[in-house]
Amino acid sequence: MNAIAIIEYLIVGIMILSAVLAVEWRDLLAAAVGMAAVSLFASILFFMLQAPDVAMTEAAIGAALSAAVFIFAIKRTQRFETEEEEKPGWWVRW
Amino acid sequence: MLKRSLAILTLLIIGYWLAQGLAGVPFGQDRMLVGHYYLEHVKEQTGAVNAVTAIVVNYRGFDTLGEVTVLFIASTGVAALLWRKKKKRSAKTEGSVVLTTGTRLLVPFVILFGSYIFIHGHLTPGGGFPGGATIATGFLLLYMAFTTYEIPHRGFEKTEGIAGMSYVLVGLIGLGIGGYFLFDWIWQTWQLGTDNIGRLFSGGFIPIIYILIGIKVGTELSGIIDNMVKEEVSE
């Protein structure tokens, strides 16, 4: 296994980790940061797979603009996912 | 917990199914059917060195027109959804001195680099969409640093419409000259720049269309940011 393969495995691993964290975090601002991280690592992967056009578009749209749009939307709504106050029945939780 | 484990189980089954399907496709081997034609003929047929932008604008120009339309509909949809009679910026705290001064210095460079990306679409990686997104990032920087900044609306929306119409107009001129929509009349009929492939003044109508797309995407995404930032004023 050469160095580039190791770096690629590392980037894919970090990307999967940030994707899992982006859906797991209850703080939506942190989730937006996780989404931007997924975009960033996807952009690096596109670059390593020799697709610079796609990498530039992914970096410009995914990491900068869509994160900004998500953050503006969070600013105008609420920042935390709310847990239900009283426990609903099993058919809701299911 | 049950819901979550069932979802994970379903995802694992779907993932295994996809992996089974993809196992037959070898990675990194030559599987091109149409690709060879593009790579061999791209220089003499379109004059572009960058094969990706040649395919996107020239061979498959209709898809790009559709993408531009999708972006236009998204921008119009955001504007229609967030439409209010009186809207104002709601930011109360001015950015720090470092932020505002840095923005003043950086924004011209960001916009210059965005223009560079979309003007050199036929030579270097990039093209209209990354260039326009970079320009919109410059305007986003202005919005975040200054509490009162607003894009000049009248000029912006007219520029967007004119750029989009000019794209269709270039295609219609091709229809008139060459017989089909988005025919590359500058390269195929006028033979403009055939002797300097790889320099700036070549590539048929790819630079022109990418300049138009860059301006259109830049103004559109800035308009989306503008709509997202402003809030309604209660009277």
Side-chain angles (χ1 to χ4, degrees):
Chain A
M1 188 151 34
N2 52 354
I4 291 183
I6 293 173
I7 293 170
E8 278 177 356
Y9 276 112
L10 205 67
I11 289 171
V12 170
I14 299 171
M15 196 173 149
I16 292 171
L17 184 71
S18 37
V20 169
L21 285 178
V23 289
E24 279 298 314
W25 274 326
R26 300 226 162 247
D27 185 351
L28 293 180
L29 205 56
V33 172
M35 189 234 41
V38 172
S39 271
L40 176 68
F41 290 116
S43 168
I44 296 171
L45 270 183
F46 283 135
F47 184 73
M48 295 192 86
L49 294 169
Q50 301 177 15
D53 296 77
V54 192
M56 282 172 82
T57 312
E58 176 72 36
I61 301 282
L65 277 174
S66 66
V69 166
F70 275 125
I71 288 169
F72 286 143
I74 291 165
K75 190 191 157 214
R76 292 181 63 173
T77 52
Q78 54 190 5
R79 186 173 159 180
F80 292 95
E81 271 181 46
T82 44
E83 307 265 356
E84 275 97 343
E85 296 286 310
E86 57 207 75
K87 289 284 180 196
W90 59 270
W91 55 88
V92 178
R93 266 181 288 156
W94 203 65
Chain B
M1 208 60 218
L2 183 62
K3 184 179 165 187
R4 171 167 283 215
S5 37
L6 275 176
I8 289 172
L9 192 70
T10 318
L11 282 178
L12 280 177
I13 290 167
I14 293 173
Y16 177 74
W17 180 52
L18 284 175
Q20 282 296 307
L22 289 174
V25 183
F27 183 75
Q29 287 175 34
D30 193 358
R31 301 272 296 173
M32 288 193 289
L33 299 172
V34 199
H36 281 299
Y37 177 81
Y38 288 145
L39 290 180
E40 281 158 17
H41 297 86
V42 67
K43 275 189 191 172
E44 85 234 25
Q45 283 187 343
T46 67
V49 183
N50 186 352
V52 177
T53 49
I55 291 166
V56 164
V57 176
N58 227 311
Y59 291 106
R60 297 279 177 266
F62 222 69
D63 293 3
T64 310
L65 189 62
E67 275 175 35
V68 171
T69 315
V70 164
L71 210 62
F72 172 70
I73 290 170
S75 162
T76 319
V78 169
L81 204 62
L82 299 174
W83 186 81
R84 297 284 184 276
K85 267 224 171 94
K86 291 190 81 173
K87 286 170 77 175
K88 267 180 89 175
R89 297 285 311 274
S90 61
K92 291 181 184 66
T93 48
E94 182 86 33
S96 69
V97 185
V98 180
L99 180 67
T100 51
T101 316
T103 306
R104 268 181 229 273
L105 279 172
L106 268 177
V107 162
F109 287 107
V110 172
I111 289 177
L112 180 71
F113 182 60
S115 319
Y116 165 79
I117 291 174
F118 66 67
I119 289 170
H120 291 78
H122 56 306
L123 304 173
T124 53
F129 289 93
T134 312
I135 286 179
T137 314
F139 283 104
L140 171 69
L141 209 56
L142 282 173
Y143 266 106
M144 290 199 293
F146 302 105
T147 50
T148 52
Y149 180 77
E150 270 192 51
I151 55 172
H153 273 282
R154 295 192 175 277
F156 247 65
E157 271 121 39
K158 288 205 175 68
T159 315
E160 179 192 331
I162 287 168
M165 282 196 286
S166 309
Y167 183 13
V168 180
L169 189 71
V170 169
L172 283 177
I173 292 172
L175 182 69
I177 293 178
Y180 56 92
F181 191 60
L182 291 172
F183 175 77
D184 190 353
W185 40 285
I186 293 177
W187 185 261
Q188 308 258 10
T189 310
W190 292 5
Q191 309 264 316
L192 207 70
T194 31
D195 47 347
N196 52 0
I197 292 175
R199 291 169 188 264
L200 185 57
F201 291 104
S202 70
F205 69 7
I206 295 176
I208 293 169
I209 282 185
Y210 260 162
I211 287 168
L212 294 174
I213 291 178
I215 291 168
K216 187 169 166 59
V217 171
T219 47
E220 247 159 25
L221 294 176
S222 309
I224 290 178
I225 292 165
D226 174 77
N227 275 314
M228 298 284 294
V229 167
K230 285 200 217 158
E231 278 179 48
E232 191 180 6
V233 194
S234 52
E235 292 168 55

